[in-house]
Amino acid sequence: MTSAQIRADSLALAPRPMAPLPGLSTFWTTRAERSGYRLTSTYDETVEYLRRIESTSSLIRVQSFGASGQGRNLLLVVAAKDRAFTPEAARASGKPVVLVQCGVHSGEIEGKDAMLALLRDIAITGRQQDLLDHCILLIVPMFSPDAHERRSRTSRINQNGPEETGWRTTPIGLNLNRDYMKAEAPEMRAFLSQVFTRWWPDLLVDTHTTDGLDCRYDVTWGYNHGPQGPASVTRWVETAFEGRALPAVEALGHVIGPYLQLRDWSDPFRGFSSGDTPPRFSTGYPTLQCRAAILVETHMLKPYETRVRATYDVVSAMLAEVNARPQELLQAVADAEVQVVARGREPDPAKRRIALSSQLTSDSVMFMLKGVRPTWEWSEIAGAPVIRYGTAPFDTLIPRFFALAPALTVTQPAGYLVPQEWQSVIERLVLHGVRHRRFARAWSDTVEQARIVDWKAASESREGHHALSVDRVESVRRWRTWRPGDVWVPLDQRSALVAVQLLEAQAPDALARWNFFDTVLEKKEYGEAYVVEPLARKMMQADPALAKEFRARVAADSTFAKDPDARLEFFYRRSPWADPEQNLLPVARALRAPPEDALAK
Ligand SMILES: [Zn+2]
């Protein structure tokens, strides 16, 4: 026995988790606890604390899943009984895998301090050890360690402590909670390839601190319930988390409510929406991989201690629920996978119709907001009324918009075909664990390609992109030959929805939206006016219908009529010199699977 184990064994047990820890030696208190929740540990202190737990307990392994942009180790803590410290051992145990992700926004760091305490209570004091009876727990304590070390007292203007906290984005300015699909940050790429698609967690819990209105909730929660994801995992969140874990959290004295996405941030009375979450977010992405996901957001104005305790209690209640009924979570994930794989094999196109995105309907239900009374004061500085929140409790009914209807739908193809030169696309398929195969020999077939007819690039930069809004596409059928090395993406796989959402031009986080295909929208060759004009004359002579169409356009469209370049372009576009590949999404929708002998093993 080490001296640390002797010390751990002599601990007096507190009546409930996270009570003031009487008798807990400072050796095992976290930095947050020792400081009375004024402070949060640094990266180095966190690593040191985790290593200390690991060296004392046989239940914990601290692993690195890669390096941050600035070269810090990205930490994954595995907590498991029976030494199930690898994805293979975890699968062999038959237990669900729960992943708790902390500090995706490093300024919102209570998840880390709560999880350090929970790991201590599992592995050292033992009072939460039964949470590992029927579950494997993974913790990413600092998803964005470089941002975690960009510490200051002025990182989070809306937030009540800790005294110094980290920054929202990685050092190259990327918000990891917008990066799940395009996967540009080194931290996200490491997470997807080394954690998510190796461990395949059945449930992901993402911990944050809110911004937004003042209210009495110390913690709020959310999940994705859009029609894009499989229904079984949504139902599990509603039954197990909302139905059973939440009341347990309330019983501990927390005021817990749904995440309050106000429709008008200056007026809570206009209500809030609980919409769908696009896959760029932590709660949108796992559902595309047939997994459950829950967002936990503590309230920014509550003291840090309250927020750490709330996160601790929500995660513990969730883990207790998973332990009580591990098969329910496993079954929900298995059902989701069966449904998605079956759709990939479905011969009837009508049964392959799926939602790419959804929108809130105008239906609302009244929701009793546990608020504080707002008033509005005219501000000379703002030149507008500014909301002020009092302290007196104020319960009021406000509308909650929850019902979602499909916005864009698409018929899932037999699979996708990706030319090998689009390496940035193939790289994403690999990162997301999307199963795919290379062609071993040439294969030709008629395929569908999307011609992007109307699009707009956003004028404002978001995540370093002027994101493309693809407003209209036409489906074009073409005979195409695929070369050895090109990629076939079948859809009878659990990651099919990820492939669809990456590769369909109009999906909300399609690679097309994130500018991966902008080069195909650019005109690469031009005709000089003195070359195109005589060509146009010949084309009009040879094709009276074309001449008629041109004259009609000139008569009807005065902008066109006044633009010599547009008038000549009309003919260039219809000439054999125009680029047939322009505006065509290079990824094709297959009408049938290629023959087995065309594909590499
Ligand atoms: Zn956040």
Side-chain angles (χ1 to χ4, degrees):
M1 251 190 178
T2 64
S3 62
Q5 278 170 312
I6 293 164
R7 231 172 300 183
D9 291 341
S10 64
L11 296 176
L13 293 187
R16 60 161 275 233
M18 294 289 291
L21 302 162
L24 184 63
S25 96
T26 53
F27 191 72
W28 289 116
T29 50
T30 65
R31 180 86 193 274
E33 290 165 345
R34 274 200 311 285
S35 69
Y37 294 92
R38 276 192 312 110
L39 306 172
T40 186
S41 50
T42 63
Y43 175 84
D44 287 342
E45 287 166 345
T46 307
V47 174
E48 194 275 328
Y49 187 81
L50 289 168
R51 293 288 180 203
R52 217 185 313 155
I53 295 181
E54 182 187 35
S55 66
T56 309
S57 166
S58 60
L59 300 173
I60 306 294
R61 279 287 180 283
V62 182
Q63 305 175 355
S64 166
F65 64 90
S68 69
Q70 293 176 345
R72 291 183 179 87
N73 267 326
L74 297 163
L75 300 181
L76 174 71
V77 185
V78 185
K81 291 193 169 165
D82 308 319
R83 310 183 64 78
F85 296 129
T86 62
E88 296 71 30
R91 262 189 289 283
S93 76
K95 297 176 183 178
V97 176
V98 177
L99 168 63
V100 182
Q101 181 182 284
C102 313
V104 67
H105 296 146
S106 285
E108 311 164 16
I109 203 61
E110 46 269 63
K112 176 198 68 183
D113 285 316
M115 290 308 99
L116 293 182
L118 182 62
L119 285 168
R120 183 255 333 274
D121 293 344
I122 288 172
I124 306 299
T125 71
R127 59 190 165 194
Q128 294 274 38
Q129 209 182 95
D130 51 3
L131 293 181
L132 298 186
D133 285 351
H134 305 287
C135 153
I136 310 282
L137 174 62
L138 307 181
I139 292 171
V140 175
M142 296 170 288
F143 196 166
S144 191
D146 303 342
H148 185 276
E149 293 308 281
R150 184 181 164 181
R151 294 157 70 91
S152 84
R153 290 170 173 263
T154 53
S155 297
R156 291 268 301 160
I157 187 171
N158 299 324
Q159 189 171 299
N160 180 11
E163 278 178 9
E164 280 195 352
T165 191
W167 191 246
R168 184 173 179 82
T169 57
T170 73
I172 57 170
L174 291 177
N175 181 343
L176 292 180
N177 203 24
R178 306 292 183 274
D179 200 32
Y180 280 86
M181 289 296 269
K182 62 188 173 59
E184 292 178 314
E187 296 82 1
M188 181 56 75
R189 297 158 72 85
F191 173 81
L192 291 172
S193 60
Q194 301 305 312
V195 181
F196 200 95
T197 62
R198 290 191 63 228
W199 288 88
W200 294 99
D202 300 285
L203 167 65
L204 185 149
V205 182
D206 188 21
T207 61
H208 290 253
T209 319
T210 61
D211 285 311
L213 83 165
D214 195 3
C215 57
R216 304 211 303 287
Y217 302 101
D218 57 349
V219 60
T220 60
W221 52 274
Y223 65 98
N224 176 30
H225 63 98
Q228 304 90 308
S232 62
V233 290
T234 309
R235 264 199 313 274
W236 180 84
V237 173
E238 286 166 352
T239 313
F241 178 71
E242 209 178 341
R244 293 193 291 253
L246 284 189
V249 175
E250 245 167 359
L252 294 173
H254 293 285
V255 185
I256 185 163
Y259 181 60
L260 294 157
Q261 182 79 30
L262 293 191
R263 288 163 72 82
D264 175 351
W265 288 108
S266 66
D267 185 359
F269 296 127
R270 297 199 53 213
F272 70 102
S273 52
S274 306
D276 78 307
T277 322
R280 77 193 77 131
F281 292 95
S282 63
T283 42
Y285 177 72
T287 56
L288 297 185
Q289 295 275 29
C290 301
R291 266 73 199 148
I294 296 164
L295 174 74
V296 179
E297 296 251 5
T298 66
H299 190 259
M300 68 202 175
L301 295 174
K302 303 298 178 283
Y304 192 53
E305 178 173 3
T306 306
R307 285 158 34 214
V308 173
R309 284 170 184 268
T311 309
Y312 183 106
D313 287 340
V314 172
V315 172
S316 315
M318 191 65 256
L319 291 171
E321 166 59 31
V322 170
N323 271 276
R325 298 166 193 83
Q327 281 308 322
E328 279 193 19
L329 175 56
L330 291 170
Q331 194 60 50
V333 170
D335 289 350
E337 290 189 357
V338 165
Q339 181 200 352
V340 166
V341 171
R343 191 190 295 125
R345 293 178 183 153
E346 170 59 56
D348 179 0
K351 293 183 183 159
R352 299 202 306 262
R353 197 86 195 151
I354 56 166
L356 283 183
S357 61
S358 56
Q359 60 197 13
L360 288 159
T361 69
S362 55
D363 295 346
S364 64
V365 291
M366 293 314 276
F367 172 84
M368 184 62 83
L369 176 75
K370 292 178 181 166
V372 285
R373 188 180 290 279
T375 53
W376 285 264
E377 275 175 35
W378 176 260
S379 161
E380 245 175 66
I381 297 170
V386 170
I387 196 164
R388 308 243 192 261
Y389 288 101
T391 51
F394 178 64
D395 286 355
T396 183
L397 285 168
I398 62 171
R400 181 187 193 194
F401 295 83
F402 184 82
L404 290 164
L408 273 171
T409 60
V410 71
T411 301
Q412 194 173 290
Y416 293 97
L417 295 150
V418 187
Q420 59 198 289
E421 60 271 26
W422 289 91
Q423 291 171 12
S424 57
V425 176
I426 297 164
E427 201 192 338
R428 266 43 183 206
L429 299 176
V430 173
L431 285 171
H432 288 291
V434 175
R435 184 162 53 83
H436 56 281
R437 293 173 73 183
R438 300 266 178 178
F439 279 93
R441 63 163 173 84
W443 178 66
S444 301
D445 199 15
T446 298
V447 296
E448 286 178 352
Q449 273 180 276
R451 184 185 294 286
I452 299 178
V453 182
D454 283 334
W455 73 96
K456 258 190 310 294
S459 56
E460 200 178 318
S461 175
R462 289 262 165 96
E463 299 304 306
H465 289 267
H466 293 271
L468 214 64
S469 124
V470 177
D471 302 322
R472 194 158 69 88
V473 296
E474 276 170 14
S475 179
V476 182
R477 287 207 170 186
R478 305 170 87 210
W479 178 256
R480 280 198 63 171
T481 297
W482 304 90
R483 305 172 59 246
D486 287 344
V487 167
W488 160 243
V489 184
L491 293 183
D492 56 344
Q493 59 168 308
R494 67 178 157 194
S495 302
L497 292 172
V498 177
V500 171
Q501 292 275 347
L502 284 173
L503 301 176
E504 287 293 332
Q506 292 185 293
D509 283 302
L511 294 177
R513 172 194 151 83
W514 290 110
N515 308 111
F516 279 61
F517 300 113
D518 277 14
T519 51
V520 308
L521 300 172
E522 299 164 3
K523 190 179 167 190
K524 302 297 185 184
E525 285 283 356
Y526 301 83
E528 297 298 344
Y530 60 84
V531 174
V532 177
E533 199 276 343
L535 171 70
R537 280 173 191 275
K538 281 189 196 147
M539 288 168 73
M540 285 172 80
Q541 270 164 15
D543 185 351
L546 180 68
K548 195 175 163 199
E549 186 189 340
F550 173 68
R551 292 206 174 90
R553 178 87 186 268
V554 170
D557 181 345
S558 61
T559 313
F560 177 78
K562 285 182 209 144
D563 184 344
D565 290 341
R567 291 170 68 136
L568 292 176
E569 177 69 12
F570 177 93
F571 294 96
Y572 177 81
R573 286 292 317 155
R574 289 160 176 78
S575 80
W577 282 273
D579 177 4
E581 304 293 331
Q582 198 186 333
N583 295 8
L584 270 186
L585 202 70
V587 174
R589 293 162 47 87
L591 301 177
R592 76 204 94 224
E596 183 59 33
D597 72 342
L599 298 166
K601 292 286 167 238

